[in-house]
Amino acid sequence: LIRLGKQIIKEVRSMNAFAKRALFSYGSVTQTKADTADSHELVKLLFQGLTDRVAAARNALEREDRMERANCVTRAQKILFGLRQTLDFEQGGELARNLDSLYDYCTRRLTEGHAREDDTIFQEVHELMVQIRDAWNVMPVKGPSLVQ
């Protein structure tokens, strides 16, 4: 994981510290993807990691594994922090501002879902992020960028 983290950092030198920490929170990035990733691809990986972590938190809640649930929620929140920091408000305009608000909302909802042990809250966040992830996956790479 440390070797993978160092290689990811080399690929994303232009990304800020929050985005780098978010990438570390998504520890299952494959070597090949890390070697060929651009900023658009890295954001796709972050969304995949985010939705995976929320799904894992739901699983941990069902199994009553509080420690694993806490780890998954924390990792998901770190990825959300990283996604917020990658937004380019100058080029992204209103859409970037709306995504920032959505990421903030999801971060707060994850905390609430964890504290209340409420799967419906985790499900809400998961569904929201799956929609954004899927939209990001079909977004053309060319044109105005939402990420720095």
Side-chain angles (χ1 to χ4, degrees), residues 55-104:
R58 294 183 72 195
N59 239 343
L61 177 63
E62 185 178 324
R63 293 188 326 272
E64 298 181 8
D65 185 344
R66 288 189 175 110
M67 186 64 93
E68 178 63 17
R69 187 178 77 231
N71 287 334
C72 291
V73 167
T74 299
R75 288 180 180 157
Q77 289 174 323
K78 286 180 180 179
I79 292 171
L80 284 164
F81 293 144
L83 285 168
R84 287 183 77 189
Q85 294 302 314
T86 65
L87 292 171
D88 185 338
F89 293 98
E90 289 181 27
Q91 287 189 10
E94 184 179 355
L95 180 56
R97 287 188 297 278
N98 289 341
L99 286 171
D100 184 60
S101 294
L102 180 63
Y103 298 156
D104 178 60

Side-chain angles (χ1 to χ4, degrees), residues 2 20 23 27-29 32 36-37 41-42 46 52 59 65-66 75 83 99 110 112 127 136:
I2 293 171
K20 289 177 186 175
L23 285 170
S28 63
V29 176
T32 303
T36 61
E41 181 68 21
L42 289 171
L46 288 172
D52 289 351
N59 239 343
D65 185 344
R66 288 189 175 110
R75 288 180 180 157
L83 285 168
L99 286 171
L110 285 171
E112 186 177 353
E127 289 173 0
W136 187 267

Side-chain angles (χ1 to χ4, degrees), residues 11 13 28 33-34 44 49 52-53 56-57 69 87 91 115 121:
E11 294 296 320
R13 288 181 200 262
S28 63
K33 287 182 181 179
K44 285 170 65 172
D52 289 351
R53 295 305 175 266
R69 187 178 77 231
L87 292 171
Q91 287 189 10
I121 296 173

Side-chain angles (χ1 to χ4, degrees), residues 113-126:
H114 181 54
R116 292 185 180 182
E117 299 184 343
D118 187 342
D119 186 56
T120 59
I121 296 173
F122 288 148
Q123 180 180 4
E124 173 195 13
V125 172
H126 188 262

